[in-house]
Amino acid sequence: MHDCIFCKIVAGDIPAEKLYEDDEVLAFRDIAPQAPVHFLVIPKKHIAGPADVVEADDRLVGKLLRVGAQVAAENGTGGAYRVICNNGSKAGQVVFHIHLHILGGKDRPWPI
Ligand code: 5GP
Ligand code: ZN
């Protein structure tokens, strides 16, 4: 996808601190962490956001959660973490390539 920053990270055109990678999924640390552990999990395939997921993506989108859990367990969350996936700029989405935020490493800091 032209001009998508996360597609550029997938392509290796922009560096990122990668925590997990396979042929479908990439996890990397957020450049501006909001928690002691804060990384993003993305599909390598460009999907703009949650509202753009089609039925054919169901397995891939589920895999984001599974990989997120695995990477969280390997990176100091103790199994306690929050998952956020923003849809739309009014909800705070800035990068329009679907991503799970995984936030952890704190004790129950979340409002909900
Ligand atoms: P959003 O607000 O779209 O849900 O989240 C986008 C996230 O991507 C933000 O937390 C932001 O810090 C992160 N981000 C934006 N550009 C880059 C980048 O070039 N590299 C990395 N590692 N994270 C980025
Ligand atoms: Zn993209």
Side-chain angles (χ1 to χ4, degrees):
M1 172 64 67
H2 196 57
D3 271 350
C4 170
I5 197 162
F6 287 176
C7 282
K8 289 179 180 172
I9 287 175
V10 169
D13 295 338
I14 294 176
E17 190 179 345
K18 296 178 182 177
L19 298 175
Y20 175 89
E21 181 170 19
D22 64 23
D23 57 334
E24 295 180 312
V25 171
L26 179 64
F28 54 96
R29 291 197 193 277
D30 197 292
I31 203 167
Q34 303 299 309
V37 180
H38 184 183
F39 63 89
L40 306 173
V41 190
I42 67 170
K44 289 190 168 179
K45 170 188 172 183
H46 183 89
I47 300 170
D52 300 283
V53 173
V54 297
E55 193 171 354
D57 299 323
D58 285 357
R59 185 196 57 81
L60 177 61
V61 171
K63 183 174 176 179
L64 301 179
L65 275 178
R66 180 173 61 76
V67 168
Q70 176 186 320
V71 176
E74 294 167 352
N75 285 275
T77 63
Y81 59 89
R82 191 179 194 203
V83 181
I84 294 173
C85 187
N86 293 321
N87 189 79
S89 55
K90 288 181 180 173
Q93 188 179 5
V94 172
V95 178
F96 289 85
H97 181 131
I98 194 170
H99 50 280
L100 302 185
H101 292 260
I102 308 283
L103 298 130
K106 296 191 201 179
D107 292 334
R108 285 200 89 248
W110 322 121
I112 54 171

